[in-house]
Amino acid sequence: MAKDLRITIILGFLLAGIGHIYLGFIKRGIVILIIGIAFGYIVSSLVPFPLSWLIIGPYWIWQLVDVYNLYKKLGLGETQNYDFKK
């Protein structure tokens, strides 16, 4: 079944790691999801709201770029080299 880039990005935008899981990178997605939730909880507990977004934002953007790059490589058939594939 072909994966849709729009759905992949929307899922990654809503919650870190879910776009990876949608693409079939289950282990990688779960790791990103757990780290994202833990990181977000710790930072938001210790740092006030506007500043916490400046700290959490780069992680969130990184995972969006990562899921986009994985989507592109999946279309090219280059995913065999990744350790976190299923």
Side-chain angles (χ1 to χ4, degrees):
M1 180 166 85
K3 305 295 182 177
D4 186 11
L5 179 60
R6 291 175 290 182
I7 294 173
T8 304
I9 297 298
I10 289 170
L11 290 172
F13 182 81
L14 293 175
L15 192 59
I18 301 299
H20 293 80
I21 293 170
Y22 172 73
L23 288 180
F25 294 89
I26 308 293
K27 290 179 185 176
R28 186 179 193 135
I30 290 172
V31 168
I32 290 172
L33 177 65
I34 291 171
I35 290 172
I37 289 171
F39 184 59
Y41 177 74
I42 291 168
V43 170
S44 63
S45 297
L46 300 174
V47 181
F49 168 66
L51 186 57
S52 66
W53 281 57
L54 292 174
I55 297 171
I56 296 170
Y59 179 77
W60 179 69
I61 292 170
W62 166 81
Q63 68 88 25
L64 283 174
V65 171
D66 185 53
V67 79
Y68 175 77
N69 288 334
L70 289 174
Y71 177 85
K72 290 299 182 182
K73 289 181 180 180
L74 187 63
L76 299 174
E78 298 176 9
T79 57
Q80 293 82 11
N81 298 330
Y82 289 97
D83 292 334
F84 288 118
K85 178 73 172 152
K86 294 187 181 180

